C-alpha cells in the first residue's frame, strides 16, 4: 500500500545526502526554508521524497504563486515501480488544493527532462540558480558594459524565493521595482540586466552572477495564465 507523509524524517535526510552528495548541515538548511517536505512509503517502508520551496513569478505585473520542487529522489531499491510519478501526482494535488498557480523544477541533468515532461512539466525556463551566501555581493566580469533600461517594467520577469529567512536584505516583491535603478548589462554576446540601489549593485541576471551556474528548468501550470517565450528566471537561493 502506498502512503504519504509530510515532514522530513531521518530517512529523507540520509537519502538526500546519499543521492546528491550533500552534507546533513546543507540538507537541514534546505528543510528550514522549505514550505513542505513530502515523503512516499510503500507498505510502511520509506521510498523517497522531495522538498517544495515557495516561490513567486511576476508575469505582466501580476504575481503568481508557485512551488519549486527541490531535492526530489526515489531510493535506489524502490525505483522502477512508478513511485516517483505517484509522489509528484500527490504533490500536484496538494498544491491544487492550496490554490497555487504553478510548480517548477530544475532537473539535475538533461536526461531527466523527458521524465519530468511525462509528469506534466512543459514550459522551459532559462535561468540561474545562485548559491551565493550573500546576494548583495554581486561581482560582474571585467569588460561588462552598461546601458540604459528603456523597456516597460512589465518586460522583466522575476522568480523570487519567498522566505524571510532566505532573502534577508532584498525582496523585489516587498519593494517596488521603481525603487531600483535598472540597467542593461552586456559582455560579448551575453545580455542581462542589473538592479542598483543608489551606487550599490544588488542584483544581476543571467550568467553575470558570481558563482552561479546556468540551468534550464521546467514549469507546470496549475491555473491558466500566459507565460512569455524564453522566460528568464533568476532564482536567488541564499543558504
Amino acid at each position: 500500500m502506498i502512503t504519504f507523509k509530510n515532514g522530513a524524517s531521518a530517512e529523507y535526510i540520509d537519502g538526500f545526502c546519499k543521492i546528491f552528495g550533500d552534507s546533513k548541515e546543507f540538507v537541514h538548511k534546505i528543510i528550514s526554508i522549505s514550505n513542505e517536505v513530502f515523503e512516499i512509503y510503500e507498505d510502511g517502508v520509506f521510498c523517497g521524497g522531495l522538498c517544495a520551496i515557495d516561490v513567486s513569478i511576476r508575469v505582466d505585473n501580476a504575481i503568481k504563486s508557485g512551488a519549486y520542487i527541490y531535492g526530489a529522489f526515489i531510493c535506489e531499491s524502490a525505483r522502477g515501480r512508478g513511485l516517483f510519478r505517484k509522489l509528484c501526482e500527490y504533490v500536484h494535488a496538494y498544491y491544487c488544493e492550496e490554490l497555487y498557480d504553478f510548480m517548477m523544477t530544475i532537473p539535475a541533468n538533461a536526461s531527466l527532462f523527458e521524465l519530468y515532461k511525462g509528469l506534466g512539466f512543459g514550459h522551459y525556463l532559462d535561468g540561474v540558480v545562485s548559491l551565493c551566501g550573500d546576494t548583495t555581493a554581486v561581482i560582474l566580469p571585467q569588460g561588462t558594459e552598461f546601458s540604459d533600461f528603456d523597456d516597460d517594467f512589465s518586460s522583466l520577469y522575476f522568480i523570487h524565493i519567498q522566505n524571510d529567512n532566505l532573502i534577508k536584505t532584498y525582496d523585489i516583491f516587498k519593494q517596488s521595482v521603481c525603487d531600483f535603478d535598472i540597467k542593461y548589462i552586456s559582455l560579448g554576446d551575453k545580455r542581462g540586466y542589473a538592479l542598483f540601489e543608489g551606487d550599490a549593485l544588488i542584483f544581476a541576471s543571467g550568467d553575470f552572477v558570481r558563482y552561479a551556474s546556468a540551468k534550464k528548468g521546467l514549469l507546470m501550470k496549475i491555473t491558466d495564465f500566459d507565460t512569455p517565450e524564453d522566460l528568464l528566471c533568476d532564482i536567488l537561493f541564499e543558504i
Side-chain angles (χ1 to χ4, degrees), residues 37-84:
V37 176
F38 301 88
E39 299 182 340
I40 185 169
Y41 291 76
E42 187 175 42
D43 297 329
V45 177
F46 173 81
C47 295
L50 59 82
C51 292
I53 301 172
D54 276 350
V55 294
S56 291
I57 191 169
R58 182 190 293 271
V59 179
D60 293 334
N61 292 322
I63 297 176
K64 304 295 182 179
S65 298
Y68 173 33
I69 304 306
Y70 188 84
F73 69 89
I74 295 295
C75 300
E76 292 183 12
S77 60
R79 293 175 184 172
R81 302 202 291 269
L83 296 179
F84 190 62

Side-chain angles (χ1 to χ4, degrees), residues 227-239:
T227 51
E229 293 298 321
D230 299 323
L231 180 67
L232 174 67
C233 288
D234 297 305
I235 304 167
L236 303 184
F237 200 82
E238 179 189 353
I239 58 171

Side-chain angles (χ1 to χ4, degrees), residues 55-57 59 67-68 102-107 113 121-129 157-159 214-221 225 227-235:
V55 294
S56 291
I57 191 169
V59 179
Y68 173 33
F102 67 92
M103 293 166 53
M104 67 160 291
T105 191
I106 300 176
F113 269 68
F121 291 85
H123 187 86
Y124 279 88
L125 303 173
D126 293 316
V128 162
V129 175
Y157 299 93
F158 297 105
I159 190 163
K215 298 281 188 179
K216 289 185 178 292
L218 293 169
L219 180 145
M220 176 170 56
K221 290 188 291 186
F225 66 94
T227 51
E229 293 298 321
D230 299 323
L231 180 67
L232 174 67
C233 288
D234 297 305
I235 304 167

